[in-house]
Amino acid sequence: MIGMLVTFTPRSGTFDRSTLEKIAGELRGPFDGMPGLRFKTFMVDEDGARARNFYVWEDEEKGRSFFTEELVEKVTGIYGAPPVIEYLDVVGFVDNSAG
């Protein structure tokens, strides 16, 4: 498994939480049932200084190939800031979603 932490920092000011909630709602659909994607979160710092998305991929190749140049350009337009992408080796995982 591989994790990806994607951080967006606005060029000026902060992110508006309601705007990020709207973005998350609009962008959620394509991720539902996406092959190889274990989960994805849309997050914002308490002070709105950074929006962060976290992904866990079952397959490292799919995770590393996800952010194409085209996708980076698209999300830069959506968030108004380019993403900083960090790849992380997942060495342990707890999933309590099954109940």
Side-chain angles (χ1 to χ4, degrees):
M1 275 193 277
I2 188 168
M4 292 170 47
L5 179 61
V6 182
T7 303
F8 300 91
T9 304
R11 292 182 174 106
S12 63
T14 59
F15 284 110
D16 175 67
R17 182 182 182 88
S18 63
T19 299
L20 292 176
E21 288 172 347
K22 183 179 178 190
I23 290 170
E26 291 172 355
L27 297 182
R28 180 176 184 221
F31 294 102
D32 283 333
M34 183 177 280
L37 180 64
R38 181 80 177 257
F39 74 81
K40 178 192 187 328
T41 61
F42 295 87
M43 303 175 289
V44 62
D45 289 351
E46 283 187 36
D47 60 3
R50 291 174 294 191
R52 292 182 164 171
N53 297 334
F54 187 69
Y55 303 72
V56 172
W57 295 88
E58 292 288 342
D59 181 284
E60 183 172 345
E61 184 178 328
K62 285 184 181 178
R64 288 191 179 273
S65 66
F66 179 71
F67 271 97
T68 62
E69 284 184 38
E70 181 181 350
L71 185 58
V72 168
E73 186 177 314
K74 180 178 179 177
V75 297
T76 297
I78 291 169
Y79 285 90
V84 174
I85 304 166
E86 299 174 68
Y87 295 94
L88 309 157
D89 286 330
V90 177
V91 296
F93 189 80
V94 176
D95 184 357
N96 292 325
S97 62

